[in-house]
Amino acid sequence: MTTKAPSAVKPAVEGSLEKVAYASVSGIPAADPHDRDRLGYNVWRWLTTRRDSLELSVKTAGARLGVSEEEAVRLIKESLRAQGVTSLD
């Protein structure tokens, strides 16, 4: 039995919403990298749909964070502003 190498992953284009979303959560301490990935996905979904608030998106992620959800939202908003996202409400 042989094992194939995993498929190559094509990185997102610099400045894309995916890069912005995942960069905005990169500094938030999490119990597991997958928790941060889930949080990044929920921020990306919020950036693309704007159906709910960012606070609800962070809560919906269910990520085990090393900071409170309120602190995570504050850090995400700071990072998004620094990356040029202007409408955060």
Side-chain angles (χ1 to χ4, degrees):
M1 177 188 289
T2 62
T3 304
K4 291 183 178 180
S7 299
V9 176
K10 182 179 176 185
V13 177
E14 202 61 43
S16 66
L17 279 181
E18 292 90 350
K19 281 275 192 189
V20 169
Y22 285 93
S24 71
V25 301
S26 64
I28 297 175
D32 187 307
H34 298 295
D35 288 313
R36 195 174 301 109
D37 290 342
R38 264 195 311 281
L39 183 58
Y41 169 76
N42 278 274
V43 171
W44 171 79
R45 194 177 66 172
W46 176 78
L47 285 169
T48 57
T49 64
R50 303 289 176 115
R51 287 191 184 149
D52 297 314
S53 66
L54 179 58
E55 291 79 7
L56 184 59
S57 294
V58 169
K59 185 176 208 60
T60 303
R64 298 166 295 165
L65 304 176
V67 296
S68 68
E69 289 178 357
E70 294 80 16
E71 179 68 9
V73 169
R74 186 186 68 74
L75 292 169
I76 291 167
K77 283 184 176 182
E78 281 179 9
S79 178
L80 290 173
R81 281 189 193 101
Q83 295 181 71
V85 178
T86 56
S87 60
L88 296 176
D89 296 318

